[in-house]
């Protein structure tokens, strides 16, 4: 029997952007991914649509499956799939039991590969402004696990950790901060030795507590830190106040909710591919905000009549009111056995700069971009320039606004081509998610369908600030009884971020 390969992939310490290039490639190729609790959902969004995703994490000693079961599961999946990825937080071989899994599989003839990951032992201190080695302060470092069965502290040889010129990093030790501090002091470390505990390191919920060995336990209790957390002890902790960058970003500490629709992307070589991420969320996270997202739908192309492409003239216009329409149009062009030569000398009109950029990426320059980047704004401009005998072919969604239709109906030969649809996704909240979403500082709405689906799912319980990307979104909010909201001056992600800047 042919067996597939297992790749142990280190996902890094929490920030999804810390995944390695090789690790990302294997996630994208995997037929099956078995992942742990601390894995970012954004990494799972890289998987193929038909990839089987299996959660195998644990939290506070509540195991989804024991290690023996995990080993057996990996082995069984190699009989079913060619490529199985075991996605583990940090590095697979740094207190991740990856060695046990690799040995079990290799003993049974399974090919095993390891993709190292960035360990939290070095990444988390770095994000908190703490280099674990520094000339004159630390000549080396120890990485110690504090975790043992049934919440008992691990058997640590503190005598080996007594050198003041070495940094100690304790993983999984939040429950045992006081015992660790006492053990180090008993072994000879000064009570004044700098110490730090960092919770949710490298993620936008990161929180750091700094003190010295004799008071760090009290400071941690007062700060009410939560796991996962690591403990850093040594003179290098003094550098934190000077080197910290992560918590100094402008929106750090703010929490936002972004319901989103998975967009689509097209290439002539690769075809249609769903993009399971939110660009707005990424931009807010780069500014330091903690962002919660959930999917309300996905964009899917729809076959439409492309015979109009056969005899386009200079007076005809192709109209696109979103980048999804551009991608779906090109998908239809390819599936109709045509290419860009079909456009001939016709004009192209788009709703805004983002849509124009997508066209430009395919070598097509937009002829018309309205100053007011809305359907109504584009309709007004076209109404003034198109001739009565011109064909205006509008590629749009199955459900779309009537702005262009109202402006152009009767003034030209307006042809509507539905080339994509926004397929609704059932929304189910995991325990605690609803409360976390509702308590955010704000929620961002980027489409009318997002408004309708979110309000329905959350039963009108929204965060205190509601941000609307534009007129259509705002009308939908008002129609559904949400009267307090702020609308972006320009209907774009930049416009929404400007709203936050003004309130920050």
């Amino acid at each position: 029997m042919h067996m597939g390969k297992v790749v142990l992939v280190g996902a890094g310490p929490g920030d999804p952007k810390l995944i390695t290039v090789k690790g990302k490639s294997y996630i994208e190729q995997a037929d099956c991914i078995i992942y742990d609790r601390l894995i970012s959902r954004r990494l799972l969004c890289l998987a193929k649509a038909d990839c089987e995703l299996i959660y195998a994490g644990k939290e506070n000693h509540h195991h989804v499956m024991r290690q023996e079961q995990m080993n057996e599961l990996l082995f069984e999946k190699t009989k079913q799939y060619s490529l199985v990825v075991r996605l583990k937080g940090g590095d697979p071989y740094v207190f991740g039991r990856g060695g046990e899994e690799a040995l079990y599989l290799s003993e049974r003839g399974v090919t095993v590969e390891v993709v190292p990951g960035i360990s939290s032992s070095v990444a988390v201190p770095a994000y908190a402004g703490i280099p674990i080695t520094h000339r004159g302060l630390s000549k080396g470092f120890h990485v110690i696990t504090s975790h043992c069965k049934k919440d008992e502290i691990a058997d640590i040889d503190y005598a080996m950790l007594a050198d003041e010129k070495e940094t100690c990093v304790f993983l999984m030790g939040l429950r045992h901060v006081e015992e660790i501090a006492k053990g180090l002091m008993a072994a000879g470390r000064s009570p004044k030795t700098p110490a730090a505990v960092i919770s949710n390191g490298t993620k936008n919920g990161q929180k750091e507590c700094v003190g010295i060995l004799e008071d760090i336990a009290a400071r941690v209790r007062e700060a009410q830190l939560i796991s996962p957390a690591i403990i850093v002890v040594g003179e290098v902790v003094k550098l934190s106040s000077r080197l910290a960058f992560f918590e100094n970003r402008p929106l750090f500490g703010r929490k936002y909710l972004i319901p989103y629709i998975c967009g689509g992307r097209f290439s002539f070589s690769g075809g249609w591919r769903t993009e399971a991420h939110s660009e707005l969320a990424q931009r807010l996270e780069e500014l330091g905000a903690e962002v919660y997202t959930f999917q309300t739908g996905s964009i899917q192309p729809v076959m439409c009549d492309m015979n109009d492409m056969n005899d386009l003239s200079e007076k005809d216009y192709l109209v696109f009111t979103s980048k999804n329409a551009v991608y779906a149009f090109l998908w239809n062009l390819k599936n109709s056995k045509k290419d860009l030569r079909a456009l001939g000398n016709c004009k192209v009109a788009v709703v805004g700069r983002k849509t124009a950029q997508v066209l430009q990426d395919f070598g097509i320059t937009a002829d018309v971009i309205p100053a007011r980047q809305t359907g109504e704004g584009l309709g007004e401009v076209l109404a003034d320039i198109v001739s009565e005998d011109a064909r205006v072919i509008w590629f749009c969604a199955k459900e779309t606004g009537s702005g262009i239709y109202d402006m152009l109906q009767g003034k030209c030969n307006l042809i509507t081509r539905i080339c994509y649809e926004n397929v609704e996704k059932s929304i189910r909240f995991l325990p605690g998610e609803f409360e976390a979403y509702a308590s955010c500082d704000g929620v961002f709405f980027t489409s009318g369908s997002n408004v309708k689906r979110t309000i329905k799912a959350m039963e009108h319980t929204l965060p205190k600030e509601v941000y609307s990307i534009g007129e259509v979104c705002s009308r939908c909010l008002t129609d559904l009884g949400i009267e307090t909201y702020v609308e972006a001056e320009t209907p774009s992600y930049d416009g929404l971020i400007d709203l936050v800047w003004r309130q920050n």
Side-chain angles (χ1 to χ4, degrees):
M1 177 187 295
H2 173 73
M3 289 187 292
K5 179 172 74 172
V6 173
V7 183
L8 307 180
V9 175
D15 182 346
K17 291 185 178 179
L18 292 180
I19 187 74
T20 64
V21 174
K22 190 171 186 179
K24 177 177 179 289
S25 175
Y26 271 126
I27 293 171
E28 292 171 336
Q29 299 173 52
D31 303 307
C32 175
I33 297 175
I34 303 173
Y35 64 98
D36 288 341
R37 175 174 71 96
L38 299 179
I39 301 303
S40 169
R41 286 190 179 185
R42 191 165 299 163
L43 294 179
L44 299 177
C45 289
L46 298 172
K48 298 184 297 186
D50 59 349
C51 177
E52 182 180 7
L53 301 176
I54 302 174
Y55 175 62
K58 61 182 179 180
E59 184 170 6
N60 295 330
H61 299 283
H62 297 293
H63 294 251
V64 173
M65 64 178 68
R66 299 189 307 274
Q67 187 62 48
E68 295 78 8
Q69 294 174 307
M70 167 60 66
N71 296 342
E72 293 169 6
L73 176 64
L74 285 167
F75 181 60
E76 289 302 316
K77 289 301 176 182
T78 63
K79 301 174 184 177
Q80 185 178 352
Y81 299 112
S82 296
L83 178 59
V84 178
V85 165
R86 175 73 172 102
L87 194 57
K88 304 170 76 71
D91 179 273
Y93 284 175
V94 179
F95 302 121
R97 304 190 76 170
E100 297 175 39
E101 294 167 0
L103 284 171
Y104 181 92
L105 293 167
S106 58
E107 288 169 358
R108 285 156 181 77
V110 177
T111 301
V112 181
E113 183 177 335
V114 178
V115 179
I118 298 175
S119 172
S120 62
S121 60
V122 294
V124 171
Y127 268 52
I130 303 171
I132 59 174
T133 64
H134 187 80
R135 189 171 60 174
L137 294 179
S138 174
K139 62 184 180 181
F141 64 93
H142 299 271
V143 179
I144 309 102
T145 178
S146 311
H147 177 71
C148 193
K149 293 181 179 180
K150 299 181 180 178
D151 269 345
E152 297 175 1
I153 190 167
D155 184 13
I156 299 171
D157 186 353
Y158 290 104
M160 294 183 61
L161 311 176
D163 191 340
E164 296 284 354
K165 289 296 185 179
E166 293 183 340
T167 305
C168 295
V169 180
F170 296 87
L171 306 183
M172 299 174 283
L174 184 61
R175 293 174 178 267
H176 308 294
V177 174
E178 187 168 8
E179 296 164 80
I180 290 169
K182 288 179 178 179
L184 289 170
M185 289 187 287
R189 285 261 185 166
S190 168
K192 305 300 181 185
T193 303
V197 179
I198 307 150
S199 170
N200 278 316
T202 78
K203 295 187 286 188
N204 282 346
Q206 177 174 302
K207 191 173 182 180
E208 181 185 8
C209 182
V210 178
I212 55 180
L213 280 180
E214 65 181 359
D215 70 3
I216 190 63
R219 289 176 179 267
V220 168
R221 284 193 294 270
E222 183 180 352
Q224 298 182 333
L225 299 188
I226 60 173
S227 65
I230 74 167
I231 304 164
V232 186
V233 178
E235 293 299 314
V236 289
V237 173
K238 292 179 178 178
L239 300 175
S240 177
S241 60
R242 295 163 56 190
L243 298 180
F245 70 94
F246 193 64
E247 296 181 31
N248 293 335
R249 292 172 301 162
L251 295 183
F252 192 86
R254 305 297 297 273
K255 297 181 180 181
Y256 296 108
L257 174 64
I258 301 180
Y260 72 99
I261 295 164
C262 284
R265 184 176 288 272
F266 171 81
S267 68
F268 282 103
S269 59
W272 185 269
R273 184 181 180 90
T274 298
E275 286 206 317
H277 72 277
S278 166
E279 179 186 341
L280 178 59
Q282 289 182 332
R283 292 181 60 179
L284 288 169
E285 285 176 340
E286 288 168 359
L287 293 169
E290 185 174 0
V291 179
Y292 296 96
T293 63
F294 63 84
Q295 183 184 348
T296 65
S298 63
I299 300 300
Q300 299 296 331
V302 174
M303 282 298 298
C304 63
D305 184 2
M306 298 293 283
N307 291 326
D308 303 297
M309 298 292 104
N310 293 332
D311 55 349
L312 293 171
S313 70
E314 293 183 0
K315 63 185 176 182
D316 295 327
Y317 284 82
L318 301 183
V319 177
F320 303 100
T321 48
S322 73
K323 64 180 183 179
N324 289 317
V326 173
Y327 288 131
F329 162 75
L330 294 169
W331 179 86
N332 270 281
L333 201 64
K334 179 181 180 180
N335 281 279
S336 299
K337 308 300 181 185
K338 303 178 189 296
D339 57 33
L340 296 179
R341 290 173 295 182
L343 274 64
N345 294 317
C346 72
K347 303 290 193 303
V348 179
V350 298
V351 73
R353 291 186 296 274
K354 287 282 189 181
T355 308
Q357 182 58 57
V358 173
L359 277 169
Q360 191 66 62
D361 292 342
F362 287 88
I364 306 169
T365 301
D367 299 286
V368 179
I369 307 174
R372 187 162 67 98
Q373 298 180 54
T374 64
E376 290 86 348
L378 179 57
E380 288 173 357
V381 173
L382 288 174
D384 290 336
I385 61 176
V386 298
S387 59
E388 289 186 6
D389 60 340
R391 286 181 299 174
V392 177
I393 308 175
W394 178 23
F395 289 91
C396 59
K398 188 173 183 179
E399 296 181 7
T400 190
S402 59
I404 288 181
Y405 185 88
D406 293 341
M407 293 289 181
L408 298 182
Q409 188 65 20
K411 296 186 177 181
C412 61
N413 181 14
L414 178 62
I415 303 168
T416 301
R417 289 285 179 263
I418 295 172
C419 61
Y420 72 96
E421 61 180 333
N422 180 346
V423 180
E424 184 171 0
K425 178 180 174 63
S426 176
I427 302 171
R428 295 180 62 186
F429 299 122
L430 297 174
E433 280 189 334
F434 183 92
E435 293 76 12
Y437 296 163
S439 64
C440 285
D441 296 297
V443 56
F444 290 88
F445 288 116
T446 55
S447 72
S449 59
N450 249 340
V451 171
K452 295 173 186 175
R453 294 169 187 176
T454 301
I455 290 177
K456 176 184 175 183
M458 298 194 69
E459 299 176 341
H460 283 73
T461 304
L462 298 178
K464 59 184 178 181
E465 294 288 351
V466 177
Y467 302 103
S468 165
I469 199 169
E471 297 173 9
V472 174
C473 230
S474 297
R475 282 199 298 269
C476 194
L477 283 165
T478 302
D479 291 344
L480 291 171
I482 308 299
E483 298 181 355
T484 304
Y485 56 84
V486 187
E487 183 181 309
E489 290 185 3
T490 57
S492 65
Y493 291 161
D494 288 333
L496 288 172
I497 291 173
D498 284 342
L499 292 180
V500 176
W501 278 123
R502 289 202 297 268
Q503 293 184 338
N504 191 37

